[in-house]
Amino acid sequence: MKKYTFTEKKDTRSGFGAGLAELGRKNPNVVALCADLIGSLKMEKFIEENPDRFFQIGIAEANMIGIAAGLTIGGKIPFTGTFANFSTGRVYDQIRQSVAYSDKNVKICASHAGLTLGEDGATHQILEDIGLMKMLPGMTVINTCDYNQTKAATIAIADYDGPVYLRFGRPVVPVFTPENEEFIVGKAINLTEGNDVTIVATGHLVWEALQAAEQLEAKGISAEVINIHTIKPLDEEAILKSVAKTGCIVTAEEHNVIGGLGESVSRVLVQNNLVPQEFVAVNDSFGESGTPAQLMEKYKLNDKAIINAVEKVIARK
């Protein structure tokens, strides 16, 4: 098993800020818009270096999406920034009509996604956003796992033609992916080789999956861990190649079990190779106020939950 270790923790939103700043230096067509959350989205460096390419829209997210769509007509590459809840649920009509249906090259960058937003509570902890966005024709959906991958994804999507939803988070989490690893949209990353079970994880659950795999190895269970950073388009080939070897799969995500990565994987399995599947996700509920650690424990989104799911799915083979 390939061992992934970390020496520091950083928030993925800071990876977005760093990537955006780098884009500001290398691509004059990149512009940024924010809905009164500059500090939360770590956009300060981009603004400092490119004040004429930044637009503070204020608490008017629908207007921000409309302006971003318009900027693409002049050849600009707009990156919008606000919380995931406000990036999707609040402005879904504008995204559907002005961005997705119109096929505009807007990069919708969404921080504070999922339960790990923490103490702000259920009204801000959107757990439906992946489902909302992946259902839009032509929309690419990316959910990164750590600082390095978020920075790389931010840079990569500037050269990727078409609307993109980039999802990341609030808390500090382990940095474990290589600093200069190339980010390829739609291409899963195989993190460990295994023969007994496939674990496909996205976002903050990727590190938990790696931790689970090490513990499973001590129990004599060989787990193959795949980082699904792009939920749409999904790397079906990587999933099918793995389950052909292992014969079962666990999906892990910080999202509602309905509409997320797990359901996308289920469609692939039903159409190609119907093996047993277990889900690690929020079970059709809203969140609540608490620390990220407390919430991930209560809603069973951690290494322990993944281990339990693995043991259950192997028993079904």
Side-chain angles (χ1 to χ4, degrees):
M1 176 185 295
K2 183 176 181 180
K3 304 295 183 181
Y4 282 80
T5 59
F6 72 96
T7 56
E8 62 178 336
K9 289 186 175 183
K10 290 184 178 181
D11 47 346
T12 49
R13 57 188 170 136
S14 287
F16 165 71
L20 186 65
E22 186 168 324
L23 280 174
R25 301 177 195 119
K26 65 191 287 189
N27 191 331
N29 285 321
V30 168
V31 296
L33 302 85
C34 190
D36 203 31
L37 286 166
I38 291 169
S40 295
L41 273 289
K42 306 296 184 180
M43 301 173 82
E44 298 95 335
K45 181 58 70 172
F46 179 91
I47 297 168
E48 176 188 329
E49 297 178 357
N50 310 279
D52 58 333
R53 289 155 57 192
F54 172 74
F55 303 91
Q56 175 59 277
I57 309 303
I59 305 174
E61 293 86 357
N63 191 32
M64 179 173 69
I65 294 297
I67 293 170
L71 284 165
T72 67
I73 297 172
K76 301 302 180 185
I77 306 171
F79 282 65
T80 66
T82 185
F83 287 5
N85 192 23
F86 309 144
S87 290
T88 56
R90 178 170 288 185
V91 295
Y92 196 68
D93 179 56
Q94 284 73 26
I95 293 173
R96 184 182 187 275
Q97 304 299 109
S98 298
V99 177
Y101 176 71
S102 304
D103 192 31
K104 292 296 189 290
N105 192 31
V106 176
K107 315 307 176 183
I108 302 165
C109 304
S111 182
H112 293 58
L115 287 175
T116 50
L117 180 141
E119 291 85 348
D120 288 1
T123 56
H124 286 48
Q125 296 162 350
I126 193 162
L127 296 165
E128 316 92 65
D129 55 316
I130 290 173
L132 287 170
M133 301 307 281
K134 79 176 188 179
M135 285 191 294
L136 290 171
M139 181 67 70
T140 294
V141 179
I142 296 171
N143 186 36
T144 51
C145 66
D146 71 355
Y147 173 94
N148 287 339
Q149 189 169 80
T150 308
K151 180 181 178 181
T154 303
I155 295 167
I157 63 175
D159 294 326
Y160 185 83
D161 188 41
V164 175
Y165 178 60
L166 176 62
R167 182 190 206 246
F168 43 93
R170 178 185 193 179
V172 294
V173 294
V175 180
F176 60 94
T177 64
E179 184 175 359
N180 298 312
E181 185 172 63
E182 182 183 9
F183 187 91
I184 303 174
V185 175
K187 186 66 175 176
I189 301 172
N190 197 315
L191 300 178
T192 71
E193 298 287 341
N195 298 306
D196 297 325
V197 62
T198 299
I199 305 173
V200 296
T202 189
H204 293 147
L205 271 292
V206 176
W207 177 251
E208 298 297 325
L210 287 170
Q211 297 300 103
E214 288 197 13
Q215 296 170 61
L216 288 164
E217 186 179 39
K219 296 184 175 187
I221 297 173
S222 172
E224 184 150 290
V225 178
I226 300 175
N227 175 3
I228 302 286
H229 52 69
T230 305
I231 296 171
K232 182 187 175 186
L234 187 65
D235 191 343
E236 299 184 8
E237 181 181 354
I239 293 166
L240 291 171
K241 180 180 177 181
S242 182
V243 299
K245 176 173 56 173
T246 65
C248 62
I249 190 168
V250 169
T251 54
E253 60 192 307
E254 186 186 348
H255 188 269
N256 194 340
V257 69
I258 298 172
L261 169 65
E263 285 198 348
S264 290
V265 171
S266 292
R267 177 186 57 79
V268 175
L269 299 179
V270 166
Q271 292 178 321
N272 296 277
N273 185 4
L274 188 56
V275 302
Q277 178 181 0
E278 291 291 333
F279 299 78
V280 175
V282 176
N283 188 23
D284 193 23
S285 74
F286 291 102
E288 60 188 294
S289 183
T291 67
Q294 289 171 333
L295 293 166
M296 297 292 267
E297 175 72 25
K298 178 170 181 177
Y299 289 84
K300 296 182 173 56
L301 302 180
N302 53 25
D303 56 346
K304 291 185 291 185
I306 293 171
I307 290 169
N308 289 337
V310 165
E311 292 174 340
K312 185 175 180 181
V313 81
I314 286 176
R316 293 173 54 202
K317 281 209 283 185

